[in-house]
Amino acid sequence: MSDKSKYIVFLVCGGLCSFVMKDHGKYYLKNRWYTSSSPYFALKARPKKVIEYFYSRTDSLLKSDIKKFGSWEECIYDTAGNPEYRKLFFDDNYWSSYTYQYSPSGYKTLSEKMSKGVITKGVFTTFEAAGNGTFKQKVMYESNTTGNILYRSKNNGNEIFTEETRQNGNNKLGINTYSQYNGEQLISRVISNIMGRDTVIEKEKYFYGKENAIDSIITVSKLQSQRDYFFKNESGDPHTEITIKNNDTTSYNTYTYIYDDKGNWIRRLGKNHLLNPDHYVKNIQYNLIIREITY
């Protein structure tokens, strides 16, 4: 998956279904100090703000004449590591920002988007108590699709159940998710279709190694079996990521880093060794991310 694709996934999940192990009443959030470029590897030293600049076709980790153009992501965190504000900038005509408002009874995500010179503002999602220990979330997706999600948790947030329905005109989608955690670590997830027959769509299993860092992820569906491997350096960041689908290696990326004195990387050069056509821009072998971190 490309860095930009990871951003899209992380941004949506950050606003909709991320849970940080901080008790706001009876709901739990589970992602703290993460960025889209490292969704499984948390930032160190509790930073206040991180900006990541994305560059392609740059094959030098030390390249110094890069101008700040193209896409970038900004994230501001509260003292617990929950996102308070996120912005994804593509260019002056296309960007999106999200502001998160938390309270003991739930939270709200406000959105502001620029598209072709037109700015639209609205409530992206609301999350509030629905009685009997459940919470209800209403989401406004793209393409005029609305979603409603019911949340239940037990075992101090280590088991989380969600039931989601999406409506777009006459089209309706229903998905059940059961997630098991060990504190902040996601252990397994089962996703089922609840429209008509209750059938399992996908199963995920997460494996951890030293210092509770992710080692691999197994994803199984009817069509394929996939395993993502993360081989880490001494700082705990992946120097190699490999994806195997149905016994074929479909993704093989390596990374080199420059670190600051807090132990966070501030430059990461990635190399795509397979030129996977699923890469968000085809035939781009290198990608560089430069971070600006405020503590």
Side-chain angles (χ1 to χ4, degrees):
M1 183 181 291
S2 72
D3 291 310
K4 192 173 293 185
S5 298
K6 286 180 179 178
Y7 176 85
I8 298 299
V9 172
F10 182 81
L11 179 63
V12 173
C13 289
L16 305 181
C17 58
S18 296
F19 288 82
V20 176
M21 207 56 200
K22 179 181 180 182
D23 194 348
H24 293 280
K26 292 184 179 179
Y27 72 93
Y28 297 84
L29 302 169
K30 293 268 185 195
N31 282 327
R32 295 193 298 172
W33 314 113
Y34 286 91
T35 70
S36 64
S37 63
S38 297
Y40 303 112
F41 299 90
L43 294 154
K44 302 176 178 68
R46 305 169 67 89
K48 296 178 181 178
K49 181 172 74 171
V50 176
I51 302 177
E52 295 185 333
Y53 300 93
F54 303 93
Y55 304 92
S56 299
R57 301 183 178 91
T58 300
D59 60 2
S60 173
L61 183 65
L62 301 175
K63 193 172 181 63
S64 60
D65 60 346
I66 295 176
K67 296 181 180 179
K68 291 177 181 176
F69 65 91
S71 61
W72 50 267
E73 171 198 354
E74 176 184 8
C75 188
I76 299 174
Y77 303 93
D78 66 15
T79 56
N82 305 306
E84 288 187 323
Y85 176 82
R86 287 189 180 279
K87 184 172 184 178
L88 174 62
F89 181 91
F90 290 105
D91 58 44
D92 290 335
N93 290 313
Y94 292 95
W95 52 262
S96 300
S97 67
Y98 298 85
T99 302
Y100 302 84
Q101 299 177 346
Y102 302 99
S103 75
S105 60
Y107 63 85
K108 180 185 295 185
T109 309
L110 307 179
S111 67
E112 185 173 358
K113 299 183 180 182
M114 165 69 81
S115 178
K116 297 181 180 179
V118 178
I119 295 179
T120 58
K121 299 181 180 181
V123 177
F124 182 59
T125 180
T126 57
F127 184 90
E128 55 192 7
N132 297 322
T134 65
F135 285 82
K136 184 176 182 180
Q137 184 168 17
K138 185 176 182 180
V139 184
M140 179 58 69
Y141 296 103
E142 301 292 339
S143 304
N144 297 318
T145 300
T146 58
N148 290 286
I149 309 172
L150 288 177
Y151 290 87
R152 292 184 295 113
S153 65
K154 56 189 279 188
N155 190 18
N156 295 320
N158 285 317
E159 295 180 76
I160 294 176
F161 307 81
T162 69
E163 182 176 323
E164 177 180 7
T165 56
R166 296 188 190 183
Q167 188 75 42
N168 186 358
N170 294 325
N171 297 320
K172 194 172 184 179
L173 172 68
I175 297 293
N176 261 356
T177 303
Y178 171 57
S179 303
Q180 289 185 299
Y181 290 85
N182 179 17
E184 293 190 31
Q185 290 184 348
L186 178 58
I187 303 301
S188 65
R189 176 179 286 139
V190 178
I191 303 171
S192 304
N193 178 15
I194 59 174
M195 303 305 295
R197 293 182 300 173
D198 188 358
T199 57
V200 173
I201 298 174
E202 187 173 276
K203 292 182 178 181
E204 302 170 358
K205 183 72 174 178
Y206 294 74
F207 299 88
Y208 297 85
K210 293 182 180 179
E211 299 183 358
N212 296 320
I214 190 76
D215 272 349
S216 66
I217 304 171
I218 294 178
T219 306
V220 178
S221 66
K222 288 184 176 180
L223 298 178
Q224 68 181 26
S225 176
Q226 173 178 318
R227 187 157 193 169
D228 299 287
Y229 293 91
F230 304 88
F231 301 95
K232 298 175 287 293
N233 61 20
E234 293 181 355
S235 297
D237 295 303
H239 61 74
T240 303
E241 294 182 2
I242 295 175
T243 298
I244 298 177
K245 294 181 181 179
N246 297 335
N247 297 320
D248 291 327
T249 301
T250 59
S251 177
Y252 173 26
N253 296 287
T254 57
Y255 303 96
T256 53
Y257 302 88
I258 295 177
Y259 290 88
D260 66 10
D261 58 3
K262 301 288 188 180
N264 288 309
W265 61 262
I266 52 176
R267 286 196 176 213
R268 187 186 78 177
L269 180 65
K271 181 179 180 180
N272 177 0
H273 292 263
L274 295 184
L275 293 179
N276 188 336
D278 291 335
H279 200 276
Y280 78 91
V281 177
K282 294 181 181 180
N283 299 324
I284 293 180
Q285 188 171 18
Y286 294 94
N287 61 83
L288 175 66
I289 301 175
I290 297 178
R291 279 177 172 174
E292 293 180 358
I293 303 177
T294 302
Y295 294 97

